[in-house]
Every structure is written in structure tokens, then in C-alpha cells.
Amino acid sequence: VSMSELIATLEQQRDLPNDLLCSLLETDRYDAALFQAADRVRRQRYGTDVFVRGLIEFTNYCRNDCYYCGIRRSNAHVQRYRLTPEEILACCTEGYALGFRTFVLQGGEDAFFTEQRVCEMVSAIRERFPDCAITLSVGEWEKSSYRAFFRAGANRYLLRHETADAAHYRRLHPQPLSSENRKRCLFDLKDIGYQVGSGFMVGSPYQTTENLCADLRFLQELEPDMIGIGPYLTHKDTPFREQPNGSLAQTLRLIGILRLLFPYALIPATTALGTIHPQGREMGLRAGANVVMPNLSPVSVRKLYTLYEDKICTGEESAQCRSCLERRVASAGYAIVTDIGDVRR
Ligand code: SAM
Ligand code: FES
């Protein structure tokens, strides 16, 4: 199949048979055509708009022990912190003044933050910022808890499926974590009415091309509003310390493919992408991404939310991040907008 044919089929059909999808994932031959098509599709739907989400990493305590993650329970080198409700609200207030209309509350699965405490945090933000979207990213819960958060005022939820393959999932996570429960959570969230974000790491240990293909198929089934991907990055205090980083090229290629499979999707140029290459986020935008998620956490805790090594922006004030990103987005040919940034289905 010729280059233009393959990419044109993907663009028009919004799909490809498995064998072609797999070969596309494994070669750089189509990249230029892929990114060009992805940019065209993204401009049709979103113009040059880039949405910003203010990320507040409110706790680095976690009960889980994911083998890849720097803040896993067994990492005794982490200095643990949790923000107070006042500190969280102060981050939102600062973010609002800087033009953020979406706040992403992310944290480990911290037992201190019971259903009731998460609800209290969400209602406090909802009351103060009625015109903002509140996104939670706090892992796996029972459906009843997800419903309680929704009633308290949360309207979006980020939960990467990490890998759609159950056996691969078990190689990345110790029991009792399972791919099955992760997927159950995602469908529960969708059923409740959240705008749902899912995604996966690119180049995670033991990942095969077939696994990536299965990830794309799972996303086709879920039809999430947001799809977050980034390269797997090593952390020296995890069991995966010897495992190499994922690749920039393959992450960009996947962003391009995601844009063509899901023209409507909100796709962030992630911090991990900016960490693996100084211009990674700009390249992500040009490959089809349309969201950036600057850090709004207090500078005093930023270095402590270390999922992987050399994480960027850990010394910057929120205002610096906003202007830094504004410049970076403009240099890629797009523009940050002050907008709640809902999905355009
Ligand atoms: N606890 C919540 C959860 O599990 O969804 C939110 C926090 S969790 C740290 C957020 C995401 O970080 C995960 O979904 C995972 O994909 C990503 N992550 C963790 N460790 C990483 C690493 N070493 N490299 C790249 N991404 C990583
Ligand atoms: Fe934080 Fe660039 S986004 S300094």
C-alpha cells in the first residue's frame, strides 16, 4: 500500500485493519503524511485552539504499588505530602486569575481522602468556581463513590486504562489491581455522565505492537472524550529501574493515529512528552494534540510528585508555566484559549 493511500484510508474511514495498523505503528515511513493529515483533521474540528487544564497534584500518598510509578507505596525515599483544602482552593484561585477554566485534581490513591473528603473538596471548588470544569484523577473507586463525586460537582474524570491486555496489565501492576476492574471503572464513569479520559503509556515494559493495537481497539469501544498518552519514563526507585524509556517517535506517531481515529478527541501534549524532549510538547501539538496541562501545584511540593525522573516544570511558579506554555504553543503554530474546553463531538 502506498503512503498516501494508507493515511488517506485512515483519515476517511477513521479506521484501519489490524495488520495495517500494526505496520503503521512500527515504521517512520508514513510519519510526515500522518502528521499532516492529523493537523488537517484537528484544524477542521478545533482550529488552532489549544485548551489548558490546570493540574493540581494534591497528594502523593498512594496505596498502590504499580511497578513503573515513582510514588508507589513501597518507595520509602518519597517525602509524602497532601495539600489542605485551603491550599487546593488557593491553587484554583491563582489558576482562575491566570485564565484556567478547568482544574484537574490528581493524586495517588490516598486513604486519607475518603469519599466524603473528596466530595468536600469538590463541592468547595464547585461553589467558588461555578463556571469551571472540575476533573478528578484519583484512581479506582466503587461506582457509588464516582456518583457521589459527580453529585458534588465533578464533571470530568481521567483514568488511563494503562494497557488493554490483561496479561500485560499484570506485568505492570501487582495484585489486586486488574485490567478488568480498571475497565469497569471507566464504563461506570461514562455511565454516570462524566466526560471521561483514558489512555496509556507508550513503551511501557513488555509492551508489544499488538498490545498498542489492542489499546486503540479498546479506546474505540470506550469512545472517551479525552485520550492521554505519554512515553513510559524510568524512575530509579522502582522495580523497573533497568527498563528503558519509551520512544518520542512512537508517542508522536500514536498521537497522529489517535487524532485520525478520534477526530473529536481532546488529546494532551503531556508532561512526560515534554520531559523526554525539550520540544516534545510542541511536537505533540503538531502531531495532533490540542490540550496542555500546566502544573498549578504549589512550588514547595512539585518536586515531590515524581512519577518519573527529570520531570519538567518542578521549579516554576504557575504564572511562569502559563507564559512559558503560551510561547511554546504559539511557536508550534497554535493558540491557547481561555475556555472551559469541552469536547466537540
Ligand atoms: N492515581 C491516579 C491513577 O492511577 O489514575 C492518578 C495518578 S497516576 C500517577 C497518573 C498517571 O501517571 C498514570 O495513569 C500513569 O500512566 C502515569 N505514570 C506513572 N508512572 C509513570 C512513569 N514512570 N512514566 C510515565 N508515566 C507514568
Ligand atoms: Fe512549566 Fe513551562 S510549563 S515552565
Side-chain angles (χ1 to χ4, degrees):
V1 193
S2 79
M3 171 157 89
S4 49
E5 267 177 275
L6 187 81
I7 301 301
T9 309
L10 178 56
E11 183 175 351
Q12 282 151 26
Q13 316 276 315
R14 298 179 184 181
D15 207 355
L16 273 185
N18 264 352
D19 54 333
L20 291 180
L21 201 50
C22 277
S23 42
L24 181 57
L25 284 169
E26 284 176 348
T27 175
D28 61 6
R29 203 162 19 148
Y30 303 100
D31 283 353
L34 174 64
F35 299 150
Q36 207 172 36
D39 187 58
R40 184 162 56 236
V41 167
R42 163 259 169 64
R43 279 174 197 263
Q44 277 162 14
R45 187 82 49 141
Y46 287 101
T48 58
D49 290 1
V50 170
F51 300 127
V52 280
R53 321 298 197 194
L55 182 62
I56 303 168
E57 299 157 334
F58 69 94
T59 173
N60 71 350
Y61 283 86
C62 192
R63 70 164 73 99
N64 292 332
D65 224 9
C66 309
Y67 299 131
Y68 46 82
C69 184
I71 61 168
R72 63 199 301 270
R73 181 186 65 211
S74 298
N75 185 2
H77 300 297
V78 183
Q79 186 189 326
R80 305 285 170 172
Y81 75 90
R82 53 176 75 93
L83 300 183
T84 64
E86 295 70 36
E87 287 172 315
I88 295 170
L89 280 170
C91 290
C92 296
T93 303
E94 191 182 349
Y96 193 91
L98 291 167
F100 294 92
R101 295 298 175 267
T102 295
F103 302 116
V104 181
L105 283 300
Q106 189 180 87
E109 294 192 15
D110 177 358
F112 174 85
F113 282 97
T114 55
E115 178 186 307
Q116 193 188 334
R117 287 201 173 104
V118 173
C119 284
E120 284 165 6
M121 167 177 80
V122 169
S123 352
I125 301 172
R126 177 49 67 224
E127 198 176 312
R128 287 266 287 273
F129 305 97
D131 59 334
C132 291
I134 302 174
T135 307
L136 286 176
S137 179
V138 289
E140 300 177 21
W141 294 74
E142 294 300 327
K143 188 171 187 178
S144 54
S145 301
Y146 286 145
R147 197 174 278 120
F149 305 156
F150 191 78
R151 290 207 181 113
N155 40 10
R156 298 179 187 156
Y157 205 101
L158 302 183
L159 186 76
R160 290 181 173 182
H161 68 274
E162 311 296 1
T163 173
D165 182 273
H168 185 220
Y169 197 95
R170 284 194 295 272
R171 301 186 80 175
L172 302 180
H173 310 88
Q175 288 195 350
L177 296 177
S178 74
S179 168
E180 192 193 357
N181 195 53
R182 199 84 179 168
K183 290 175 180 171
R184 187 272 303 161
C185 289
L186 284 162
F187 286 106
D188 280 352
L189 289 161
K190 203 175 144 176
D191 187 54
I192 291 166
Y194 283 95
Q195 293 176 43
V196 171
S198 196
F200 52 91
M201 287 178 290
V202 180
S204 62
Y206 317 113
Q207 184 178 65
T208 63
T209 306
E210 286 68 35
N211 290 154
L212 286 171
C213 218
D215 288 326
L216 298 176
R217 298 300 175 210
F218 172 71
L219 291 171
Q220 286 177 319
E221 191 190 331
L222 180 68
E223 293 188 48
D225 301 286
M226 301 159 275
I227 305 174
I229 65 168
Y232 158 74
L233 298 169
T234 309
H235 191 293
K236 63 176 171 26
D237 298 322
T238 70
F240 284 169
R241 62 181 66 83
E242 309 286 350
Q243 302 282 349
N245 285 347
S247 105
L248 169 70
Q250 204 176 33
T251 306
L252 296 173
R253 195 172 304 138
L254 272 154
I255 289 176
I257 294 172
L258 286 170
R259 175 55 65 204
L260 296 184
L261 291 176
F262 307 96
Y264 62 83
L266 296 160
I267 302 176
T270 55
T271 305
L273 197 52
T275 298
I276 203 169
H277 188 285
Q279 263 81 53
R281 287 171 296 178
E282 292 87 324
M283 291 187 249
L285 293 170
R286 285 194 298 259
N290 61 338
V291 172
V292 288
M293 299 175 65
N295 201 319
L296 279 186
S297 309
V299 175
S300 58
V301 303
R302 283 203 196 171
K303 281 191 172 44
L304 305 177
Y305 198 83
T306 331
L307 309 181
Y308 43 77
E309 276 161 53
D310 306 318
K311 189 170 164 221
I312 53 168
C313 307
T314 57
E316 255 58 44
E317 296 288 342
S318 302
Q320 291 175 292
C321 278
R322 165 83 205 209
S323 55
C324 160
L325 273 168
E326 203 132 331
R327 261 182 289 115
R328 287 172 181 273
V329 168
S331 80
Y334 310 98
I336 288 184
V337 292
T338 295
D339 190 296
I340 196 161
D342 278 320
V343 73
R344 296 184 193 154
R345 287 267 184 185

